[in-house]
Amino acid sequence: MSKVIIIGAGMGGLATALRLAYQGFEITVVEKQSRPGGRSNVLMENGFRMDMGPTILVMKDVFEDTYRAIGKDLNERIDFVQLDPNYRVYFHDDTYIDLYSNMAKLAREVEKVERGSAERLFDFIGTSAKKYELGMKFVDRNYDRITDLANPQALAELVSTKSHQNLYRQVSGFFRGNDKLAKAFSFHSMFLGLSPFDALAMYSLITYADLALGMWFPKGGIYRLIEDMVTLAGEMGVTIRTNAPVKEIRIHKGKVLGVELENGEQIDAEIVISNADLPYTYQKLINGNAVRDYSEQKLDRMSYACSGYILYLGVDRTYSHVQHQSLYFSEDYKANLDAIFKSKTLPKDPSFHLSIPTVTDPDLAPEGHSGIYVLAPMPNLSAGINWEEAAPIVREQLLDQLERIIDPSLRSHIVWQREYRPTDWENDVNAVLGTAFGSLSHGFLQSSYFRPNNKSQHTQGLYFVGQSTYPGIGMPMVHISAKLVTERILDEWH
Ligand SMILES: Cc1cc2nc3c(=O)[nH]c(=O)nc-3n(C[C@H](O)[C@H](O)[C@H](O)COP(=O)(O)OP(=O)(O)OC[C@H]3O[C@@H](n4cnc5c(N)ncnc54)[C@H](O)[C@@H]3O)c2cc1C
């Protein structure tokens, strides 16, 4: 059976390793970092166990599908808790609402903001469900030709669901311009590194997935998923080598020969799958003579997603008045998003995502302590911000807001802390421009058929998996990506 090398032990790389090993391929995963996981990594220090990247798990059925494909049951191996509510949304004026999957409870919350808005909420959820149904047809498939995307039926459905319109404007229309509700039901595109002011209305399918399909938390945190995949990979004979950065993908006469590591070691394989960022793979791992799918100029012209600043805190107290997941929206949300995506400057009043996983799982911290994760989206490194100077400023802004919304004496209770800056993604996972959630943004011209293909057109045996090929950014999407690249390889190599 063919030998396969997977560059990168991110979630997509690991899911592909499991699927292909189950089909009998001989798999070696080579990972640059000392621990698998990539953007889904973990900090384990001073008794705190803190997810470093993703904290929100939606579309759990997609994770279950990876396990089903290898004859396992995800729910037998990992203990999931459904979050209820999914999020608390804090506004600048010290008010908040809770977003529930239960529609009756959700309706009660929106009525608190504006009387009569429940009916419009149901309209919004109904149309978002149609977008979800339509969107999944484009998400869960391989692409070979433009007609896979642009056919009369698909276009008619796109227009009938108004998916081609602007996301923020459309959501705002449903809620008759109520600013708080428009924010609360449109921010989800940020998870794809895309401003709701620029995104297609199609992306309210993410809002639907979050609210209607439920949000889950694996006991032990998101990194439990990585640990379990690594365990399964070991049982299935997959070799995972950490501290093994790849220097070059070896290609001869249009065919993959294997990889060369930074230490000069060569490993042979008929198939190489890069889970590293695709633009980085073309720029750094493929010798100039072999690069034909994407020229340097073409890579430069691509649109790159945003980055972020994260503060991880351990505090010596617990909270009964907070939720596991929250969002804080700055007053001038548009100015905040324009700073990130347009002017590429440091936001003056950053919005942020707050996660306190110890609310659900106290074992993630020493007894009587809480773990706090605060993620503020930021411009990527093309902004040229000096992060040595900027990080302390953002840190203080975030602590000020946390003291306002959750604990006035928070600073005096911090017993452990770490931070993560845009430059860290560049250094740790070779993220082009330090992009956080994924490298390529999700505008129309970088989605589905237009997103880079998971198969090289010019090099036989070279494939891609993960956030920079289709379907795109986010844990569920990279699991689907693993399924799609496996289908391709089984078609072509079995
Ligand atoms: C802060 C943050 C919050 C997020 N929140 C969420 C969320 O709540 N929900 C959600 O669903 N998604 C979220 N995401 C997105 C999600 O984490 C990613 O889209 C997903 O994990 C990407 O997985 P991947 O398989 O594409 O690869 P990556 O995680 O990007 O992994 C690629 C791997 O390749 C390795 N690599 C790179 N170059 C080399 C080389 N030369 N040699 C060897 N190895 C190499 C890297 O070290 C890395 O391990 C978040 C991401 C971040 C960063």
Side-chain angles (χ1 to χ4, degrees):
M1 189 52 90
S2 307
K3 283 191 182 170
V4 179
I5 292 171
I6 300 179
I7 304 172
M11 196 170 271
L14 291 173
T16 311
L18 296 181
R19 283 180 179 265
L20 286 175
Y22 188 74
Q23 297 294 332
F25 288 81
E26 190 182 326
I27 315 283
T28 303
V29 181
V30 276
E31 166 56 48
K32 134 184 214 289
Q33 296 202 87
S34 58
R35 193 159 36 208
R39 285 172 162 94
S40 310
N41 228 299
V42 70
L43 284 166
M44 288 186 266
E45 291 178 12
N46 294 26
F48 292 94
R49 181 178 157 109
M50 180 75 82
D51 284 315
M52 293 175 73
T55 64
I56 296 170
L57 193 154
V58 294
M59 296 173 76
K60 181 160 150 279
D61 56 314
V62 169
F63 297 74
E64 290 163 355
D65 189 53
T66 297
Y67 276 63
R68 248 191 319 273
I70 58 164
K72 301 286 177 197
D73 182 343
L74 174 68
N75 296 302
E76 271 179 11
R77 300 179 63 90
I78 293 184
D79 193 5
F80 286 93
V81 179
Q82 182 164 11
L83 300 189
D84 184 36
N86 299 8
Y87 312 89
R88 172 158 294 173
V89 176
Y90 292 96
F91 301 106
H92 67 279
D93 60 359
D94 296 332
T95 60
Y96 65 78
I97 58 169
D98 288 336
L99 302 188
Y100 291 92
S101 278
N102 177 306
M103 289 298 136
K105 287 185 185 173
L106 184 60
R108 194 184 61 211
E109 292 293 305
V110 299
E111 286 286 319
K112 279 202 296 205
V113 179
E114 189 181 316
R115 287 192 59 181
S117 54
E119 207 174 309
R120 297 195 291 279
L121 166 76
F122 294 135
D123 280 353
F124 168 72
I125 299 281
T127 62
S128 302
K130 288 190 189 132
K131 291 185 178 97
Y132 180 81
E133 205 180 308
L134 170 65
M136 286 310 283
K137 290 186 200 163
F138 296 119
V139 160
D140 198 3
R141 62 163 305 152
N142 274 305
Y143 286 91
D144 292 306
R145 52 196 76 78
I146 181 80
T147 46
D148 293 339
L149 171 73
N151 56 65
Q153 194 197 340
L155 289 175
E157 286 182 82
L158 202 74
V159 173
S160 72
T161 55
K162 300 192 174 129
S163 296
H164 59 294
Q165 294 180 353
N166 174 279
L167 176 62
Y168 187 85
R169 224 173 293 137
Q170 190 177 93
V171 176
S172 182
F174 271 105
F175 295 106
R176 296 199 186 145
N178 183 299
D179 185 46
K180 289 181 177 175
L181 295 177
K183 285 173 179 168
F185 292 98
S186 69
F187 70 85
H188 299 75
S189 68
M190 287 295 294
F191 295 145
L192 300 179
L194 199 62
S195 163
F197 292 94
D198 300 329
L200 290 177
M202 169 65 106
Y203 288 118
S204 56
L205 67 86
I206 314 169
T207 318
Y208 174 78
D210 259 26
L211 291 176
L213 305 181
M215 190 179 290
W216 301 84
F217 185 73
K219 283 274 185 77
I222 296 288
Y223 200 72
R224 268 297 293 132
L225 301 173
I226 297 290
E227 288 172 334
D228 196 53
M229 286 199 283
V230 169
T231 303
L232 284 171
E235 289 167 10
M236 292 166 74
V238 173
T239 303
I240 299 181
R241 293 181 55 181
T242 49
N243 296 311
V246 171
K247 184 172 153 212
E248 188 178 331
I249 299 173
R250 291 157 49 225
I251 297 168
H252 183 64
K253 293 194 174 162
K255 266 193 186 170
V256 149
L257 298 181
V259 300
E260 179 175 332
L261 303 185
E262 289 284 358
N263 66 9
E265 181 186 342
Q266 299 203 340
I267 313 175
D268 297 337
E270 290 95 65
I271 299 171
V272 170
I273 307 170
S274 181
N275 177 221
D277 282 20
L278 180 140
Y280 157 83
T281 303
Y282 276 105
Q283 281 164 348
K284 304 285 187 202
L285 300 185
I286 300 180
N287 178 304
N289 299 327
V291 181
R292 273 186 289 165
D293 288 357
Y294 290 95
S295 65
E296 199 60 48
Q297 294 87 320
K298 203 165 171 185
L299 294 169
D300 283 348
R301 278 200 307 273
M302 286 181 167
S303 168
Y304 290 86
C306 66
S307 189
Y309 170 89
I310 310 179
L311 196 55
Y312 311 98
L313 304 173
V315 297
D316 61 1
R317 62 194 332 196
T318 56
Y319 301 105
S320 55
H321 66 290
V322 297
Q323 298 296 346
H324 181 145
Q325 301 286 10
S326 302
L327 294 140
Y328 168 79
F329 291 126
S330 58
E331 180 170 11
D332 196 343
Y333 181 55
K334 181 153 190 330
N336 179 194
L337 293 171
D338 283 351
I340 299 168
F341 293 100
K342 293 207 159 78
S343 63
K344 304 221 167 151
T345 48
L346 209 56
K348 289 196 172 58
D349 177 17
S351 301
F352 57 86
H353 168 206
L354 166 66
S355 176
I356 310 182
T358 40
V359 167
T360 306
D361 188 354
D363 292 345
L364 296 172
E367 203 180 340
H369 290 64
S370 301
I372 301 178
Y373 162 119
V374 198
L375 161 64
M378 290 286 148
N380 66 34
L381 295 177
S382 68
I385 291 170
N386 176 341
W387 277 99
E388 284 300 309
E389 289 170 10
I393 299 171
V394 179
R395 178 180 181 281
E396 293 310 308
Q397 286 172 323
L398 296 178
L399 289 174
D400 286 347
Q401 294 293 12
L402 291 181
E403 290 199 334
R404 214 162 62 81
I405 62 176
I406 62 164
D407 179 358
S409 57
L410 180 83
R411 280 181 173 90
S412 63
H413 288 280
I414 297 172
V415 293
W416 167 82
Q417 59 185 307
R418 288 277 173 269
E419 64 171 17
Y420 210 78
R421 303 171 179 178
T423 41
D424 291 321
W425 278 291
E426 188 178 47
N427 296 331
D428 290 350
V429 294
N430 288 330
V432 175
L433 297 176
T435 49
F437 312 96
S439 53
L440 299 173
S441 67
H442 266 281
F444 180 68
L445 293 177
Q446 288 187 171
S447 296
S448 58
Y449 170 79
F450 297 111
R451 203 162 180 83
N453 206 287
N454 57 13
K455 175 187 168 173
S456 164
Q457 304 307 305
H458 292 100
T459 306
Q460 190 189 332
L462 178 59
Y463 298 86
F464 298 90
V465 70
Q467 44 73 27
S468 43
T469 179
Y470 52 68
I473 292 176
M475 296 187 292
M477 296 301 114
V478 306
H479 273 273
I480 294 174
S481 171
K483 175 183 149 202
L484 296 176
V485 78
T486 302
E487 282 171 7
R488 266 216 193 280
I489 291 171
L490 288 178
D491 263 7
E492 293 170 10
W493 294 81
H494 234 198

